[in-house]
Amino acid sequence: MAKLTKAQAKAHGQAVEILQQDVLSWDDREFVYRNWNEGANHANGAAGAFFTPFDLAFDFAIDAGGGRVIDLCAGIGMLSYAINCRSRFAEAMPELVCVERNYDYVEVGKKLLPEAKWIHADVLDVLEMELGRFDTAISNPPFGNIKRSKNAPRYTGKDFEFHVVDIAAHLADHGTFILPQGSSGFFYSGRQNYCRQTEGKAIKFQELTGLHFDAGCGVDTSCFLNEWKGVSPLCEIVCVEFPIIEPPEIAPAAPANDNQLTLFGEAA
């Protein structure tokens, strides 16, 4: 568990009190999303579970679109909440499905975003659930070498974020993700200009899958570096168009590795 400052602990306590209410107002929801701290009672470093900053989520929603949306590794539903809020005056509200393996996060998410269907499950099991086709897949997945039970259909490497993107490619027409800059396939945030990466793990993943990582409308996420809780990852918002893929066979179990580390484990 992370060590919270006095101000963080006080705000988290207020968020916990708000969650005891039967019905939450929009102001209540925003306060909880901004102040409920994932590191207060959970070793979020071990799971790579670092929630998206509130304002970054709303910028993310510009690229994410709507329709039938599946939120993989949803946490307490920050990304889906932002999409839902941006759609409040649209002709049709999105159909949101949130998948999260941490039971406590699911319970909080249900209170904050009752408009969504919540599924308590490991993201690596989603392809076996026959959830149907989605317009959009979204995710701020755990980054780095996170312990897992199996592999994605095509990717067998160590970086958990690529497993999530590969799974999303089998579920949706397009996807929008928050990925560490080194896994994004391009450099934009924190720089004066956009440029494509020419080597590295993101290039290898795109070659393996035939996918193309794009910057979307172009959000400089370095503006939000100080708004993460416990970490300050330099990320990119990555947009991907997915071709129709035949349903995969059940993925093989990942080899056991007791020495696996998380990208941000030391910061938790």
Side-chain angles (χ1 to χ4, degrees), residues 23 29 70 72 93 123 164-165 178 182 198 203 224 242:
V23 179
R29 297 191 201 192
I70 186 165
L72 303 171
M93 293 294 289
V123 67
V164 176
V165 174
I178 294 176
T198 58
I203 302 304
F224 307 102
F242 296 136

Side-chain angles (χ1 to χ4, degrees), residues 56-88:
L56 173 56
F58 274 75
D59 281 356
F60 172 95
I62 298 171
D63 276 320
R68 191 164 191 251
V69 180
I70 186 165
D71 188 345
L72 303 171
C73 308
I76 59 175
M78 179 76 80
L79 297 180
S80 289
Y81 174 78
I83 290 173
N84 193 61
C85 285
R86 284 198 175 274
S87 303
R88 286 169 65 186

Side-chain angles (χ1 to χ4, degrees), residues 165-198:
V165 174
D166 191 11
I167 289 168
H170 291 76
L171 291 168
D173 294 337
H174 64 269
T176 307
F177 307 92
I178 294 176
L179 302 181
Q181 192 175 71
S183 298
S184 71
F186 57 87
F187 298 107
Y188 179 75
S189 295
R191 295 180 174 236
Q192 292 185 332
N193 59 289
Y194 168 94
C195 65
R196 298 292 303 177
Q197 296 173 5
T198 58

Side-chain angles (χ1 to χ4, degrees), residues 110-155:
K110 287 179 179 178
K111 291 294 294 287
L112 294 172
L113 192 60
E115 296 88 350
K117 175 182 179 181
W118 283 85
I119 299 176
H120 177 218
D122 191 316
V123 67
L124 293 164
D125 294 329
V126 169
L127 294 179
E128 302 167 29
M129 297 180 184
E130 299 182 353
L131 298 176
R133 190 74 180 173
F134 292 84
D135 297 297
T136 304
I138 61 173
S139 185
N140 170 17
F143 300 163
N145 195 7
I146 306 300
K147 188 174 181 180
R148 63 187 187 280
S149 60
K150 62 178 74 171
N151 292 320
R154 296 173 293 187
Y155 179 72

